[in-house]
Amino acid sequence: MQKLLHTLLLLAFISSSISLTSCLKDDDDDTVLYSDCSINSFSLGTLNKYTKGVSSKTGKDTIVKTTVTGSQYKFSINQATHEIYNVDSLPVGVDTLHVICNITAMNGGSVHIKSAQSDSVFNYNSKDSISFEKNPRTFIVISNDGKYSARYTVKLNVHKEEAARMTWNAPYTEPAFANAGNLQGTEWNGSILVKTVKDGNVMLYTSVLANGKAWAATTPGTKLSAAAKIAAIGNTLYTSDESGNICSSTDGEHWLPVGTLAGKVLGASNGKLYFLSGNALMAYDITTAQTSTEQFFGIAAYPFLADAYTSLCEVKKDKKVTGTTIVGATEVGNAVLFKAENTAEQQKWMLISNEADQNLPNTYTEVVPYGEFLLALSGGKFYTSLDYGRSWQQRYYVFVPETVPAEGDSHLFADSRGSLWIISPNGQIHTGKINGIAWER
């Protein structure tokens, strides 16, 4: 009878173990065993970072040790594929041979790590560092009841380049751009478009965004203005024709008038086309097809010289357009106009900087939005501004390639991939980037 009772109890225990949870109870304690086996959180502890530097005492090369807060780098856990990885890469120079991992498993499951050299498995301990010399590593989680297990692949993404570093590709020479005037480039419809002027005639050239070495020529069917800018809004180009009428095109060859608008196109920002009509600065809203006369605060009228070269660009913060800046020449030197664009009401333009209180040379100046700052090419050097163009400074890692001619009007523009383009009057094309800004794209 006792053997039969023992057999029945054993069968009952096995039956209950097949379910996802088992409960073992007595008068003093309740214990719940779970079959769930998954990692539900993964983060890093403090990491060491080693970079090359120069000793302030000896002036010799040395290794500088700093720390990185690993918990700031969030990890994604794909429960379908059992893959774990950090979305934002760790900085270059971080020590991946001694990594503290903070891991929790569902319902108290145990975590183990597979050897990088063999099939051996070791218990995970949050106080022990783990080497990611062989990356990725395999982690194994075992359910609380010991019945199930799952393998996770954990990969540490680490940058191979410093964020605050500028790199340039070897220059390429395009004969069609040599000795051309009024060079201008912009991104349009997945390509780079460059405008040239030779003997008063405008020609357009396009190249695939990632190429820049194979250019297709387009002869506009309408004689376009040599002085007006070409602005791209969406897949449509806008500029002025030789008679001063504003026109648009979707292919660069066929151009149609934009209503009765007339003036000299300066550029586009936040879905608006800006142009000069006489001495008045005008804005044409592409969405509403409404035209407005721009107003000024603290100054009587548009301050730039009639024939001066101006550079109009968007200002972005947190990848949102917050304003528009115009840099150009006045009677007393370069000046900067700014207008806020992040409000529903029409804002007024303000003269926020002039020759007396800024560091921009009084030379031909190109300005583009780049990352969180404005980048200006002026006098063969780069200048940056974090305050909409009010003040400018040079940064040690932002430099113009030595092969860019110091004299002449080289044109600067940036594309959506975070690449910078410099096209010089000798036909040379330079492409480069600041690593950290390109990574964000």
Side-chain angles (χ1 to χ4, degrees), residues 41-104:
S41 72
F42 189 102
S43 63
L44 301 179
T46 300
L47 302 167
N48 291 325
K49 178 186 175 185
Y50 300 93
T51 54
K52 293 181 179 180
V54 178
S55 172
S56 59
K57 296 181 179 180
T58 65
K60 296 182 179 180
D61 291 343
T62 186
I63 299 297
V64 179
K65 177 184 176 182
T66 55
T67 58
V68 174
T69 305
S71 58
Q72 294 180 349
Y73 294 82
K74 304 303 180 184
F75 277 75
S76 174
I77 302 177
N78 188 324
Q79 298 294 0
T81 62
H82 286 182
E83 294 176 314
I84 301 175
Y85 58 93
N86 50 313
V87 178
D88 295 327
S89 295
L90 295 167
V92 65
V94 73
D95 180 8
T96 58
L97 302 183
H98 306 89
V99 179
I100 296 295
C101 301
N102 302 309
I103 309 171
T104 58

Side-chain angles (χ1 to χ4, degrees), residues 106-401:
M106 179 74 74
N107 294 324
S110 60
V111 179
H112 311 266
I113 181 169
K114 179 183 173 297
S115 170
Q117 288 78 31
S118 67
D119 291 332
S120 300
V121 176
F122 305 96
N123 291 332
Y124 154 77
N125 187 324
S126 61
K127 295 182 180 180
D128 293 338
S129 65
I130 299 171
S131 173
F132 278 81
E133 181 179 11
K134 290 189 176 181
N135 189 17
R137 295 295 304 269
T138 299
F139 287 76
I140 301 170
V141 58
I142 300 177
S143 61
N144 178 270
D145 62 6
K147 294 170 55 181
Y148 299 97
S149 66
R151 291 188 173 217
Y152 283 78
T153 300
V154 179
K155 182 179 181 181
L156 291 189
N157 292 315
V158 183
H159 283 303
K160 296 181 180 180
E161 301 172 310
E162 289 282 359
R165 183 185 178 190
M166 183 171 242
T167 57
W168 290 95
N169 300 314
Y172 169 79
T173 299
E174 172 53 56
F177 301 161
N179 302 314
N182 293 68
L183 282 168
Q184 183 205 343
T186 188
E187 184 176 340
W188 166 63
N189 202 20
S191 299
I192 294 297
L193 179 138
V194 173
K195 168 194 169 185
T196 67
V197 180
K198 287 187 176 181
D199 300 323
N201 297 313
V202 173
M203 284 290 294
L204 303 178
Y205 297 86
T206 55
S207 177
V208 177
L209 191 60
N211 188 313
K213 293 183 179 180
W215 296 87
T218 299
T219 302
T222 300
K223 194 169 179 59
L224 302 179
S225 166
K229 293 290 188 68
I230 288 186
I233 303 179
N235 293 331
T236 304
L237 296 172
Y238 296 87
T239 191
S240 309
D241 65 19
E242 192 177 44
S243 300
N245 300 307
I246 294 177
C247 48
S248 65
S249 173
T250 56
D251 62 6
E253 180 181 0
H254 304 92
W255 293 83
L256 297 173
V258 181
T260 58
L261 295 182
K264 175 186 175 183
V265 171
L266 301 179
S269 172
N270 203 33
K272 296 177 182 177
L273 186 71
Y274 289 96
F275 61 98
L276 280 178
S277 179
N279 294 324
L281 178 60
M282 311 292 291
Y284 175 71
D285 191 309
I286 301 300
T287 303
T288 64
Q290 298 295 313
T291 305
S292 60
T293 301
E294 298 295 277
Q295 304 297 316
F296 299 92
F297 178 81
I299 55 176
Y302 184 73
F304 301 116
L305 298 174
D307 296 328
Y309 185 91
T310 57
S311 186
L312 181 149
C313 68
E314 296 177 336
V315 179
K316 295 183 178 181
K317 295 293 182 183
D318 299 324
K319 299 182 181 181
K320 296 180 180 179
V321 178
T322 57
T324 303
T325 290
I326 305 177
V327 178
T330 69
E331 292 181 349
V332 294
N334 275 341
V336 180
L337 280 179
F338 172 77
K339 183 183 79 164
E341 296 276 13
N342 56 346
T343 60
E345 299 179 356
Q346 182 180 358
Q347 299 294 307
K348 294 182 178 181
W349 291 85
M350 297 182 293
L351 186 66
I352 63 172
S353 180
N354 56 41
E355 187 271 338
D357 58 12
Q358 65 162 310
N359 297 318
L360 274 182
N362 291 320
T363 61
Y364 172 96
T365 301
E366 287 276 7
V367 181
V368 298
Y370 195 59
E372 290 297 301
F373 53 74
L374 293 179
L375 182 65
L377 175 61
S378 183
K381 297 179 181 180
F382 276 139
Y383 299 81
T384 63
S385 175
L386 289 168
D387 53 8
Y388 310 107
R390 183 185 302 275
S391 60
W392 299 83
Q393 64 176 336
Q394 291 180 279
R395 297 172 183 265
Y396 73 93
Y397 62 91
V398 184
F399 63 94
V400 177

Side-chain angles (χ1 to χ4, degrees), residues 22-33 144:
S22 286
C23 299
L24 304 177
K25 299 182 180 181
D26 56 33
D27 294 338
D28 300 320
D29 184 34
D30 291 344
T31 302
V32 181
L33 298 179
N144 178 270

